[in-house]
Structures are given as C-alpha cells and as structure tokens.
Amino acid sequence: MGLPTVSVVIPAFNEESAVADVVNEYREALSEMGGEFEIIVVDDGSTDGTRTAATNAGADVIGPPSNMGYGHSLRRGIRAARHEWVLITDADDTYPATTAARLVEIAEHYDMVVAARTGRHFHGPPTRRLARWLLILLASFVTGRHIPDVNSGLRIFRRDAVLRYFDILSTGFSFSTGLTLAMISDGLGVHFISSEYRAREGKSK
C-alpha cells in the first residue's frame, strides 16, 4: 500500500517567529517519505510578518484579512485542500514533523490518527494539568472510551469524512475537541499515538 496524498493545513495567527521553520521542517520530513503533499498556511488576519514568512518558506498562504478564530482557519484550510488526507498542525513549533510522518505512515488503517501529547511542556502548571485531566475524564465518559488527548492540534484524517461534521464543529478552539468526540461517538476508527510536545515559539494565543 502506497503512502496517502496529504494536504498539511497550518492555522497561524501572529506566528512570524516560528511558521517558516515549521513549514520547512514538515516539507523536509514529508519529502523524505516520497509521497505527494502540499502545505497550506491559513493566516488568520495576522498583524505581524506571518504571511510573508510563510510565503517565503514556500507554503500556499490563504486566509481572511481579520482574525476569525482557530476553527474557522481549519475550515478554510480543509476546504482548500486538494488531497484525500488532511494533516493539521500548529504554527508554533510544538509538534515535531517526525511525529507527523508517523501519522502519515499509518493513516490508511484508520479514519483519524491523533498525536497524544506528552512531556512537561504539555502538562504545564498544576491548574492546567487539572483542567486537562477533567476534560479527558469527561470526554472518556461521554464516549465510553479512554481518550488520552481530546484536543491535540496534530492529527490526520480523511478530508471527506470530516467535511460532514462542519455544521456541528466550532469555529473556535474547541474544533479539535468536537471532532474527536463526534468521530468516536459515530464509531469511526480513531487511533492515538504518543508524541513529544515541545516548548512553543512566540506568545500563546
């Protein structure tokens, strides 16, 4: 079985300091695999040099002139994607491209594969750790399945499978959470692999 064709969608808002490195790292990792891919950066109305940095790095850059939200950016990127599979990641350099390559390698065995984050940069201070634990507990209760990371920003899925959920998914930060819950609740094949989560570049949004 050959590698799937992949559209990488990267939502970005004021990520000038990291977006070019992310584009270059992902291009290198996917090029080494030999499959067909494209990289789309959705610039969500950035007021810094994000659009220029992403363009100079060779990404296809799209996006609105004003800030519309994380989920809105993902919707734009997914709709613009030309390939069967869509891989989403963040523009802040937190998700290694080596993990993305692992997702691509096993994608065709599932409907969605999610990188479950690990490490001190993910867990953060006690208050954040408690909030994440409660979210995971609630999500696992609702779906009847243990979910190690309900809102990871690195995942790969079939484009057509996700388009049907657009009417119920948030245009904000809970897009990923809603997608995880919807696909598992509908009995689709959702698989998790553990992944390093690095310290982010730039300011958290």
Side-chain angles (χ1 to χ4, degrees):
M1 183 179 296
L3 290 172
T5 59
V6 179
S7 295
V8 180
V9 174
I10 308 174
F13 176 62
N14 290 346
E15 298 288 1
E16 177 184 11
S17 62
V19 67
D21 289 340
V22 172
V23 170
N24 289 328
E25 181 184 356
Y26 274 66
R27 180 190 297 108
E28 181 178 352
L30 293 176
S31 294
E32 289 178 357
M33 298 182 72
E36 185 179 355
F37 68 92
E38 64 177 345
I39 298 179
I40 302 170
V41 171
V42 185
D43 176 34
D44 191 23
S46 296
T47 57
D48 63 359
T50 295
R51 180 176 288 268
T52 299
T55 301
N56 290 343
D60 296 326
V61 183
I62 62 175
S66 59
N67 183 245
M68 301 292 290
Y70 174 75
H72 186 273
S73 294
L74 287 176
R75 288 165 179 263
R76 276 183 177 260
I78 293 166
R79 285 195 177 102
R82 296 185 294 109
H83 295 304
E84 177 185 6
W85 289 86
V86 175
L87 184 145
I88 64 171
T89 191
D90 288 348
D92 58 9
D93 200 32
T94 48
Y95 295 102
T98 51
T99 302
R102 289 168 55 204
L103 299 186
V104 173
E105 286 175 346
I106 64 174
E108 292 192 337
H109 297 289
Y110 306 96
D111 295 297
M112 181 167 70
V113 187
V114 182
R117 295 165 288 180
T118 61
R120 64 185 181 90
H121 296 298
F122 168 59
H123 294 298
T127 53
R128 184 180 299 175
R129 192 175 309 170
L130 176 61
R132 287 205 173 106
W133 180 80
L134 290 173
L135 179 60
I136 288 172
L137 186 66
L138 177 61
S140 299
F141 174 77
V142 168
T143 60
R145 169 186 173 180
H146 174 63
I147 300 176
D149 191 348
V150 69
N151 60 344
S152 171
L154 175 57
R155 58 185 65 201
I156 190 170
F157 44 76
R158 295 183 187 274
R159 179 178 179 273
D160 289 346
V162 170
L163 285 174
R164 66 178 178 150
Y165 292 110
F166 269 27
D167 288 344
I168 65 171
L169 294 176
S170 168
T171 58
F173 276 106
S174 61
F175 180 98
S176 300
T177 302
L179 180 59
T180 304
L181 296 177
M183 292 187 72
I184 291 178
S185 297
D186 280 350
L188 297 178
V190 179
H191 181 64
F192 296 85
I193 65 170
S194 61
S195 171
E196 173 195 7
Y197 186 72
R198 303 186 295 210
R200 70 159 289 130
E201 292 288 339
K203 182 180 179 182
S204 174
K205 311 304 183 298

